Amino acid sequence: MKLHEYQSKDLFAKYGIPIPKGEIATTPEDARRIARDLGRRVVIKSQVLVGGRGKAGGVKLANTPDEAEVIAGQILGMNIKGLTVRKVLVDEAADIAQEIYLGIVLDRLQARAVMMASAAGGMEIEEVARETPDKIIRITIDPFLGLREYQTRQIAYGIGLKREMIKEFNLIAQGLYRCFVDLDASLAEVNPLVITGTGVLQALDGKILIDDNALFRHPDLAALRDVDEEAPSETEARQRGLSYIKLDGEIGCMVNGAGLAMATMDMTQLFGGSPANFLDIGGGAQADKVAAALRIILADSHVKAVLFNIFGGITRCDEVARGIVAAMEEVKPHVPMVARLVGTNEEEGRHILAAAHMQTASTLAEAAQKAVALVKGEGAVVQLPPVEIKPLKTKRVTAKKKLAAKKPAKKTVAKKAAVKKPTARKSVAKKPAAKQSTRR
Ligand code: GDP
Ligand code: MN
């Protein structure tokens, strides 16, 4: 879950990070009053959950309360990257001498938090990261030792901070780390952390991402969720307890179980299709949940076919089939659908679906092929030859045979051959991005 800038900065302040004084306004009149109360030049900042607001014209300075009112009027209602601005933050304006980047992210590969900093912070940080990555200092934090002072000093020297600022910087970095850990964040970022004209450090912008799976431990943070900023389908999925992630493909997938969902996406891709989503309806899904899932999938205009892949364990296939039929009556799908049901009461389940004129399949490969064919307009009437998925062992066996026939010195060759996997498996394995995102 993403937090707004004002929410992030309020949390930062609780951890001793200095932030500018300010308040949220939802009307231009509010902005005028806040500016008058602050009694000085202010900055009006759109509060939407996307980056790059500055470049999009969503951050502007105002010299007087009158100006604050006019500018707030311009920014409120503005569309920034598809999101409508409903709130602005009116902060006292800072006198900026330098913009620093300071952030903590979870490095999944190392399974540790990493603190990053750059002397070239501000709106161009993405370019810095791309073009001159060596200008970003990275420090890995040991979870047992925490962020050590020598590490924050190393960062401070690395970004060229003056000696007299190091103590203050250390407090900010420590505060950010404690905030990151306490909140179960996957990201806590200050960009820019500015050095003001008088040589004081201040956090002008803030961004926090909270791990959704940890929200049950933070009811106060969960309450900060801004539903206005979510895609309606994501809100519905969350409220129904469905794990749903929208992707860019054309085949909507409805699956019970996260692992099975990933396998389904891989299979779809293997046969030349692309999944429109990751969706795990979970165990024991009833008709209403199936209907909600179907509504969510079909709300995506890119979806050209739906693929159901259900494994009936505790969930009974006939129950799911009834759910699908009930959902079809309610949702009235406009795209073809294929279902593969296996497990408890599969015969009965398939019977129910066939009676509802739905395509059925008995293997995942067959179902994926049919879905791909439907998307490509070939229609599933075309009898597809059964797919042969090569067993993994074939090559290894031949290699061993070769080895047995030849001298033992050739061992390395055999090993290489054994490591080399059949292509089918390879293409299934190379999709880390999609897999990672499905975890959340
Ligand atoms: P972002 O573009 O969404 O990251 O929004 P930021 O809050 O980071 O603001 C973008 C840029 O606006 C910053 O990098 C600053 O250069 C500028 N800015 C933000 N607040 C102030 C301020 O109080 N005074 C001045 N002079 N510039 C500001
Ligand atoms: Mn920023």
Side-chain angles (χ1 to χ4, degrees):
M1 180 180 94
K2 281 185 201 167
L3 296 186
H4 278 295
E5 172 193 358
Y6 73 95
Q7 298 167 329
S8 306
K9 289 204 296 200
D10 283 350
L11 289 162
F12 289 163
K14 290 194 178 139
Y15 287 87
I17 299 172
I19 59 163
K21 242 195 244 164
E23 258 182 78
I24 281 291
T26 51
T27 63
E29 297 73 43
D30 272 355
R32 162 194 277 278
R33 179 191 53 79
I34 298 164
R36 199 191 52 220
D37 291 352
L38 288 171
R40 49 184 291 179
R41 196 153 88 118
V42 294
V43 58
I44 314 274
K45 312 184 74 175
S46 53
Q47 299 297 293
V48 277
L49 295 175
V50 283
R53 295 163 304 158
K55 282 187 185 171
V59 176
K60 287 204 173 110
L61 291 163
N63 291 306
T64 63
D66 283 347
E67 245 180 73
E69 183 173 347
V70 173
I71 291 171
Q74 290 163 357
I75 295 180
L76 285 163
M78 198 173 172
N79 186 301
I80 299 181
K81 298 182 185 171
L83 293 170
T84 306
V85 181
R86 293 185 169 86
K87 285 176 281 200
V88 290
L89 175 62
V90 183
D91 259 359
E92 54 184 19
D95 162 26
I96 304 174
Q98 192 191 336
E99 300 195 15
I100 293 165
Y101 173 91
L102 182 67
I104 305 181
V105 283
L106 194 65
D107 181 340
R108 288 166 198 270
L109 213 59
Q110 293 192 77
R112 305 230 158 153
V114 170
M115 180 166 266
M116 297 188 294
S118 174
M123 295 194 281
E124 309 297 333
I125 193 68
E126 275 83 16
E127 281 79 84
V128 175
R130 206 170 34 240
E131 282 151 32
T132 46
D134 48 304
K135 282 196 181 157
I136 296 174
I137 317 261
R138 290 181 174 80
I139 297 274
T140 302
I141 304 169
D142 184 302
F144 293 107
L145 300 176
L147 179 64
R148 311 307 294 169
E149 209 178 314
Y150 80 86
Q151 293 182 302
T152 60
R153 230 177 298 128
Q154 207 173 319
I155 296 173
Y157 287 129
I159 58 172
L161 278 190
K162 291 212 184 94
R163 257 170 175 276
E164 57 267 29
M165 267 181 231
I166 290 182
K167 202 170 153 203
E168 201 185 334
F169 178 79
N170 177 52
L171 290 175
I172 292 174
Q174 297 289 353
L176 191 64
Y177 179 61
R178 273 189 293 124
C179 175
F180 175 87
V181 174
D182 285 359
L183 270 46
D184 287 310
S186 55
L187 174 107
E189 186 182 86
V190 185
N191 185 37
L193 171 68
V194 298
I195 305 176
T196 64
T198 50
V200 177
L201 288 168
Q202 200 176 41
L204 281 207
D205 188 12
K207 180 174 174 184
I208 297 177
L209 296 184
I210 313 266
D211 184 341
D212 285 339
N213 293 320
L215 278 177
F216 73 97
R217 302 208 285 209
H218 308 282
D220 48 331
L221 296 178
L224 296 179
R225 189 187 292 276
D226 188 346
V227 177
D228 287 341
E229 300 273 310
E230 267 182 333
S233 56
E234 277 169 19
T235 310
E236 183 173 5
R238 190 168 40 73
Q239 285 166 350
R240 296 272 181 172
L242 304 162
S243 307
Y244 169 79
I245 291 154
K246 191 191 155 354
L247 301 168
D248 300 327
E250 301 174 314
I251 298 178
C253 303
M254 192 189 302
V255 189
N256 63 337
L260 195 59
M262 285 195 256
T264 307
M265 290 159 64
D266 283 347
M267 271 301 198
T268 310
Q269 208 124 26
L270 181 66
F271 291 113
S274 59
N277 64 279
F278 166 93
L279 197 158
D280 173 12
I281 58 170
Q286 305 280 308
D288 60 332
K289 211 168 175 184
V290 175
L294 196 56
R295 250 197 321 271
I296 290 166
I297 289 178
L298 296 175
D300 176 356
S301 60
H302 295 289
V303 170
K304 301 276 184 310
V306 180
L307 169 57
F308 294 88
N309 186 19
I310 304 295
F311 175 76
I314 297 170
T315 316
R316 283 160 35 212
C317 290
D318 57 321
E319 176 79 20
V320 174
R322 279 191 199 96
I324 294 174
V325 172
M328 282 165 73
E329 272 159 22
E330 187 202 320
V331 183
K332 306 246 185 300
H334 46 272
V335 296
M337 309 205 279
V338 184
R340 178 232 181 189
L341 297 176
V342 283
T344 314
N345 296 358
E346 61 179 67
E347 280 301 317
E348 204 182 331
R350 248 178 267 156
H351 201 77
I352 294 169
L353 292 183
H357 306 291
M358 190 159 163
Q359 309 249 4
T360 58
S362 51
T363 67
L364 173 52
E366 186 193 343
Q369 276 187 319
K370 280 186 174 172
V372 173
L374 286 168
V375 165
K376 295 193 171 156
E378 292 158 20
V381 243
V382 182
Q383 262 320 86
L384 291 152
V387 243
E388 192 202 336
I389 298 184
K390 285 181 201 149
L392 288 175
K393 278 187 183 153
T394 354
K395 285 208 172 172
R396 190 174 297 174
V397 172
T398 25
K400 268 189 190 158
K401 270 188 193 160
K402 255 189 205 164
L403 182 64
K406 285 181 184 175
K407 282 173 276 175
K410 291 264 170 173
K411 217 170 189 168
T412 46
V413 177
K415 256 192 195 154
K416 255 188 205 161
V419 168
K420 207 173 162 198
K421 290 165 196 144
T423 40
R425 190 183 151 87
K426 251 192 202 162
S427 63
V428 169
K430 61 158 193 202
K431 266 191 35 210
K435 279 188 184 168
Q436 219 180 27
S437 61
T438 55
R439 300 215 140 190
R440 330 202 80 237

